[in-house]
Amino acid sequence: MKAGSKDLAKATVLFAGDSGDGMQLTGGQFTQTTALSGNDLNTFPDFPAEIRAPAGTVPGVSGFKIHFGSAKVYTAGDQVDTLVAMNAAALSSQMDQLKEGGLIIANSNGMDARNLRLAGINEDRDLLGEAEQRGFELVSVEITRLTKEALKDSPLSNKDKDRAKNMFTLGLVYWLYDREPERTERFLEKRFADQEDIREANIKVLRAGHHYGETAELFRNRFSVPPADLAPGRYRNIKGNQALSIGLITAAHKSGLELFYAGYPITPASDILHELARSKAYGVQAFQAEDEIAAITAAIGAAFGGSLAVTASSGPGIALKTEALGLAVMLELPLVVVNVQRGGPSTGLPTKTEQSDLGQALFGRNGEAPLPVLSCASPKDAFDVAFEACQIALEHMTPVMILSDGYIANGSEPWKFPSSSELPEIQPPVHKAEDGDYTPYKRDEKGVRKWAIPGTAGAEHRIGGLEKQAETGHVSYDSENHQQMVRERKEKVERVAHGYAAQEVSCGSKKGGLLVISWGSTYGAVRTAVERLHKNGIAVGQYHLRHLHPLPSDLGKLIERYDQWLIPELNEGQLLQLIRSTYLVDAKGLNKVQGVPFAHREVEEAIVGMINEKK
Amino acid sequence: MKAGSKDLAKATVLFAGDSGDGMQLTGGQFTQTTALSGNDLNTFPDFPAEIRAPAGTVPGVSGFKIHFGSAKVYTAGDQVDTLVAMNAAALSSQMDQLKEGGLIIANSNGMDARNLRLAGINEDRDLLGEAEQRGFELVSVEITRLTKEALKDSPLSNKDKDRAKNMFTLGLVYWLYDREPERTERFLEKRFADQEDIREANIKVLRAGHHYGETAELFRNRFSVPPADLAPGRYRNIKGNQALSIGLITAAHKSGLELFYAGYPITPASDILHELARSKAYGVQAFQAEDEIAAITAAIGAAFGGSLAVTASSGPGIALKTEALGLAVMLELPLVVVNVQRGGPSTGLPTKTEQSDLGQALFGRNGEAPLPVLSCASPKDAFDVAFEACQIALEHMTPVMILSDGYIANGSEPWKFPSSSELPEIQPPVHKAEDGDYTPYKRDEKGVRKWAIPGTAGAEHRIGGLEKQAETGHVSYDSENHQQMVRERKEKVERVAHGYAAQEVSCGSKKGGLLVISWGSTYGAVRTAVERLHKNGIAVGQYHLRHLHPLPSDLGKLIERYDQWLIPELNEGQLLQLIRSTYLVDAKGLNKVQGVPFAHREVEEAIVGMINEKK
Amino acid sequence: MKQVKSYTSKDFATDQEVRWCPGCGDYGILKQVRDLMPELGLEREKTVFISGIGCSSRFPYYMNTYGLHSIHGRATSLATGLKMTRSDLSVWIITGDGDGMSIGGNHLIHLLRRNPNVNILLFNNEIYGLTKGQFSPTSEQGKQTRSSPWGTVDHPFNLSALALGADASFFARTVDRESKHLRETLRQAHEHKGASLVEIYQNCNVFNDGTFSAFTDKERKQQNTLHLEEGSPLRFGDPEKPVVLTWKNGAVGAEEMGASDPGSHWIHDPYDRAKAQALSRLSDDMTYPRPFGVLYREERAVYEDLLAEQQKVIAPKRTADDLDALISGDAFWQVGQ
Amino acid sequence: MKQVKSYTSKDFATDQEVRWCPGCGDYGILKQVRDLMPELGLEREKTVFISGIGCSSRFPYYMNTYGLHSIHGRATSLATGLKMTRSDLSVWIITGDGDGMSIGGNHLIHLLRRNPNVNILLFNNEIYGLTKGQFSPTSEQGKQTRSSPWGTVDHPFNLSALALGADASFFARTVDRESKHLRETLRQAHEHKGASLVEIYQNCNVFNDGTFSAFTDKERKQQNTLHLEEGSPLRFGDPEKPVVLTWKNGAVGAEEMGASDPGSHWIHDPYDRAKAQALSRLSDDMTYPRPFGVLYREERAVYEDLLAEQQKVIAPKRTADDLDALISGDAFWQVGQ
Ligand SMILES: Cc1ncc(C[n+]2csc(CCOP(=O)(O)OP(=O)(O)O)c2C)c(N)n1
Ligand SMILES: Cc1ncc(C[n+]2csc(CCOP(=O)(O)OP(=O)(O)O)c2C)c(N)n1
Ligand code: SF4
Ligand code: SF4
Ligand SMILES: [Mg+2]
Ligand SMILES: [Mg+2]
């Protein structure tokens, strides 16, 4: 059967195999090629457990999902069109993700008795047959054997030959989605520049896979996803933690300060440390401290010394930082704290995503210790948020918290990146020796104090965590003064909202009907859901909240324009509470705490349900 | 001029002097005698700075306020009727607390040029004259000289003689308020049993002060505050930290468990550590750990081992405990965590009171980590709250947070204490070896798991901070299971509310008009204000919220009965937010962050203002 | 008295699949510990394994005793609380070089000075395994890892020196590959009354493979390791022609065994603190081999014993009456009748 | 080049009233530090005092330099961040026995191993002053305090031993009362390149009066103190008839000075780690006097220098272009023109 060609607006492919099967690399290559062919896309890798489990087992399955299209793509896809399964564990654990009638490309050499056993499946079961019975389209290929065959003349060891099988898969999927393997060939040439045998083998196998697709008449259809209508500009594919790191470096550059980053490894924030440690050439100091408390306090020390100071962690580490964060509030020094949220409470689900640290970000400190809280909507958005957070921290002399999450951190999407000259300069209120007398807690019209950096003659001063006298900063136990300072700190933070643009809905109806309020990584699923329903004539709009504190001053007006409000969150209703108390509207929550993002279908159902209920 | 005698319903006396002047002892003795004469009362010591400042200076002033009456007394008094000032610093810094036309008893020997200088006052000023000009009644007594004179035959050193002057003052004030000095004489006999000279001197001076009042015709009036109509029973005077400590020991006794307390010194929680360390004879293990994290984790270790485990701190220390608190939530082990709140943020005002850690208590953890939160209304209430917190922790297998504050911790009031036999037995769900198979996270009808304590054969099990499979407690990364466990933990905590009594207003109108919602130490000021206004025919009621989480299920109904809601808090509106979001009522806040409690007048004004605004 | 059950190694295994990477050194340690338990006559229900977070800290899940997998760095403080209240339990702390020495460094040194009777097994793989390969406080200077792509600049801790400085009453070193030595060392740790700290060199074959090969490779280990045995001279190298260490005027030297006067041989005495200190620094600059075995031990009062003694002195058995006396205090009064 | 201002001691005083208890040992330390600053030629604007929380930690408010009064136990980690980014500053850490060794113990040992060029002044009063008198990790066993009314059961740290165990590159001990010794010790700490830890015995006359009187009382101090001077023998006691310490086979002895062979005298060499370790334990059991002065020093690479070197190697000056290269990465593409 020769495959017909079918144009698709969007497609979702999931590569799944053993941790040792190179699925992340395969997915990454497919992503790069897809991006270069002009699709919009969104990806998400999924490594279920933290420790490498024995090969072939379900805990050892590593997955990489890519959703791409000729229209805008906002999520890594709800349901999978094509599942590539390298072994029985991958197939059995991922099959449920397939859409009805979806396509399975199975490595039949990975489905033998041994593999079934490792996957914890009764050896008598016919996994592939079962898949077909469930109505999936099955393409079974002896990927392992064909790889070995393609390499029979290669001098590589059997183990190394076996390792190349992911390239066979990639070539095959390239063919299926009408992509050429050249870009990956170039990549392999570079990657294995010094290892001729491996290089040649991989390229050979890649091509073999592609040819196999062409010749073997395996597929009913071949798909083509035409380029998306993307705004002109330069693009790159980027992960959230990467975008965030680059945003920090850029902000340092734009403020003329050195970036000091202090962190302690923790999933899923560690990559920020890795990224910045690698970037020493950009003048970054990346410090792996002995714990999270040392990290944030080292950062505060560096901030006192005049650096742009940043620390990142995930929930448990942020918990440890809260005491010192209060100190930063009291000192009124710039500091950026990133929380890449993961499943909680406690150690929870360290490799899974969640949005359940919002309450901690907003209220998790002793005393009245307000600070701006921003959230990233998607991987590329992390760049903008990081930049803005630094800007706020430096220009308002305050610690700022960024909320990202595991989904954003490890997910990727194409980013139309700016040139550095387009970005604004950041202007921290630095006190210079020639500015004359220095009064540490004297405030300007924005309520911001001046930053006198050690080395500045005549501005020597002492600050600390005790309440301080207004203006002078001397220790003060005075009652009225305490009230005044509490209010001044609060108002300073509230004035940050003056810098926001006017609030607008992201998509859908501009007034009337139901408003869905999203924050953080729920952006994509909500956007997809609202656009789909709105296109079908349903009165629903999306408002995406980036600034969780202070809330935009015109948000109340926007909210009033609607009759119903839905707040989907990957927690038990944390933003919900804030919105209800602030605007006294009977908003409802859609809450999911399963370590995975919303499917847009879930959001759609909730919207429709709410609207119907009202009718 | 011979004093007339005047009956008073209530009176407030403030003893103020240098830290070295023994004001706390003086106040304490006055309190005991007043209590024994049958008055209701409430006291509050006020040490403004943490470090002993040089003698005679304003930061060195130590104060002790007592409010007593023949009717119920709920606060330590708004305005002072009688100010006893031992030196210029005390007079100048405390004069503003006096009510209009109030009485000053000044030690004129403490007002000389040297004392003025130490108090930072221009030596030319006539502080006593100024006081009279402001309309205060001034009684100037050469207390220092008269003390020395009374002791001219004593073998004591001049320094020691000088030290006895607080007893002269006390004698004088006893006379003024128609009290006999006998009880204090007995106290001195015991206290200085082995130091004859000091004992004799103090008693002599005490009597001299009393006689001086009788003979010197100093006062316009002599006051008498008749006994209050207190419920029959046995009473003692008690401070908040003391009541709390005794509550914990009692709960341990009533549950048949050992009390393990781990703490790290911090103002104003340290006295709990001191109190419990002293109580080793009651089987208490009190552990001073190397920091707050060690304290809470040691407590969790002890809880795992089957103890009633408790830790306490104040805001900054609680911040450090939040990560481990999440572990306790995940483990579902009983644990009581006490936060004796103080002025924040950061080190803030460590010796002052505040209620600004409510947000931290409710939301200050990573992930969805709900736990019951209780608050103490007054010093004696701390006993009941401590007992109930232990009961909840043990019977519901959950960490529980108690919010107290500096005002409660150090304040005192008479307590009609129970006999231990009146108190209920506490029944933790301990799994016994003979109960058969043990399934660590199997829940009973209340959603509570069983507690298998090491040493129990056949119930060996492993638990940790990772998400666990329902029932078995094995590590589980499953999505649905995570959702289930998040909900189970939440519901378990919510079911604690089933154990509450029906909610009722504390005083004032039972429906209609304005409802004032108080929590924690605002109880007294709100109660006083509401009773006063209600007596004057104003439609106002008080509801006092002890259980901040989970909220009582019948609270919504109660709130609906009113038209306006006012929530006074010593913070910027933390309970306010919770009430608004939960019940969608347009409650208003009365917020004060000055390190001092509300004056009932402030609450009255806010009530009247709100009612008038509506009219 | 209830009869003590006699367990086998298998009784100490749980039904949980062991989930370390294939080839990880942790497997070997687990096996030895499981085997050791019945040998020591420990009862499952009276034994508790407490760990922090890290690959190593998964250990308790695989021991069929009571177990707590806690939070990062705090196993030591959890264990302190447990041991203070339950001196009857045998408490085993499992920690890693990151867990025990980085975030948990403070609790470790405070535990050592307090000296409760617990056993600490610190799995030192000189790397952060669980978080996928960052340097740890024991990684050698210059090491390239994911968080130090240009090499670390951090001077590492010497755990033995740190422990002695913190007044540890027992310190020993062993290695995952030497199963017999490992088990014997753990046995001694268990027999020591007080806090026993055992540093176990553990190979992380994924992120730090072969770091300890100098001490485990057949060809190299004779030259690089020094096996400490109480009462025996410190010798290393070719067994036919061993080199022996000497200790003269507080300075360490080395001589060929045969050629030297036995009187000058350094005879191992783990109770000698000065010598233990020297041993702890012996191989800092790599001129001498690394010592394995018990470097130091001392008899020092055990924390929970001191507490119990104090309790005995001050607390005559309490009764219900005592509680009422506590509640009432001694300055109460009666209102009404 | 801008001319270096010449300051006097007074220039280092602030307008804030000093608020320690009258008679507190902190006053004397403050005076010496203020006097020392101009002697060392330090500039106010280039000097930073960082403290944690405690009575001692109020110190920065009284020094007219840049100052940070931070949170409990973290002065060391704040200083690490500051020094990493501002190697041009002279950084002085002020901490207490509680601040530095209890809650802050971990940051202290990690700072010591990393060895940034800072000076740590640890005011050891063997008590918690600010919180009004609880025992600290240096309080002697059995001490009765507010939190140990029955006497502590905690074995205290020996700070010198702990510091050496944590690879401190400089450790010295001095006492508040001996102003000249104090100043000279601080001068040496300042001159040492690397982390200098100075333990200052400080009398808390309110909560722990006289704890160090054995070392400060005229009558007793000769017998109880050992003044270390590089190149001089270790002697103590009656100056007319001093006792001298000996160091034989790693064991400490004592002889009457005149009666003994000068060849056997223990001559102080602060660079000798083995001897420093012996010195750190010398008076543990009170048989020998307590050493004061520089116990140990070693030249070891300074943290910020290592960082700077690494930076030099890997970072050819960055330009705006580099930033754009970072933003674009090397796998970007163009859409439209
Ligand atoms: C508070 C907190 N910070 C960070 C982490 C992330 N984390 C988990 S294990 C680990 C280090 C593991 O290293 P080690 O203790 O050496 O154990 P190994 O995995 O090497 O056995 C870190 C940083 C965490 N779980 N909690
Ligand atoms: C997180 C935290 N825990 C506890 C405290 C309370 N606290 C302040 S200072 C101090 C100890 C002070 O002792 P030390 O460091 O020896 O200083 P000293 O007052 O004796 O100079 C403590 C426990 C605090 N401020 N912050
Ligand atoms: S990462 Fe290393 S230490 Fe962790 S399980 Fe794998 S091999 Fe073992
Ligand atoms: S309490 Fe002690 S250490 Fe603190 S200021 Fe007073 S005397 Fe000094
Ligand atoms: Mg490790
Ligand atoms: Mg101290």
Side-chain angles (χ1 to χ4, degrees), chain B residues 6-23:
Chain B
K6 206 166 147 180
D7 265 19
L8 289 180
K10 285 184 183 177
T12 302
V13 177
L14 170 57
F15 297 91
D18 192 65
S19 303
D21 285 347
M23 292 297 100

Side-chain angles (χ1 to χ4, degrees), chain C residues 103-123:
Chain C
I103 193 169
N106 204 32
H107 308 307
L108 177 67
I109 58 178
H110 280 270
L111 182 148
L112 293 176
R113 76 174 172 96
R114 292 194 185 106
N115 201 35
N117 185 19
V118 298
N119 306 304
I120 308 172
L121 278 52
L122 192 150
F123 293 27

Side-chain angles (χ1 to χ4, degrees), chain B residues 51, chain D residues 20-21 24-26 55 125 129-130 202-207:
Chain B
I51 310 186
Chain D
W20 289 305
C21 304
C24 176
D26 291 349
C55 294
N125 54 12
L130 187 66
Q202 172 249 326
N203 192 41
C204 168
N205 60 311
V206 171
F207 296 110

Side-chain angles (χ1 to χ4, degrees), chain C residues 96-98 123-129 136 202:
Chain C
D97 42 331
F123 293 27
N124 182 6
N125 54 13
E126 299 191 353
I127 199 82
Y128 286 4
S136 89
Q202 171 247 329

Side-chain angles (χ1 to χ4, degrees), chain C residues 13 20 32-33 72 81 107 113 140 147 151 156 178 182 185 205 216 219 229 243 266 279 288 301 303 337:
Chain C
W20 290 304
Q32 294 316 311
V33 174
H72 199 32
H107 308 307
R113 76 174 172 96
E140 79 272 12
S147 56
E178 304 282 343
L182 174 59
T185 307
N205 60 312
T216 53
E219 313 78 54
E229 264 174 76
V243 177
W266 179 345
L279 279 177
Y288 291 110
Y303 199 55
Q337 36 43 57

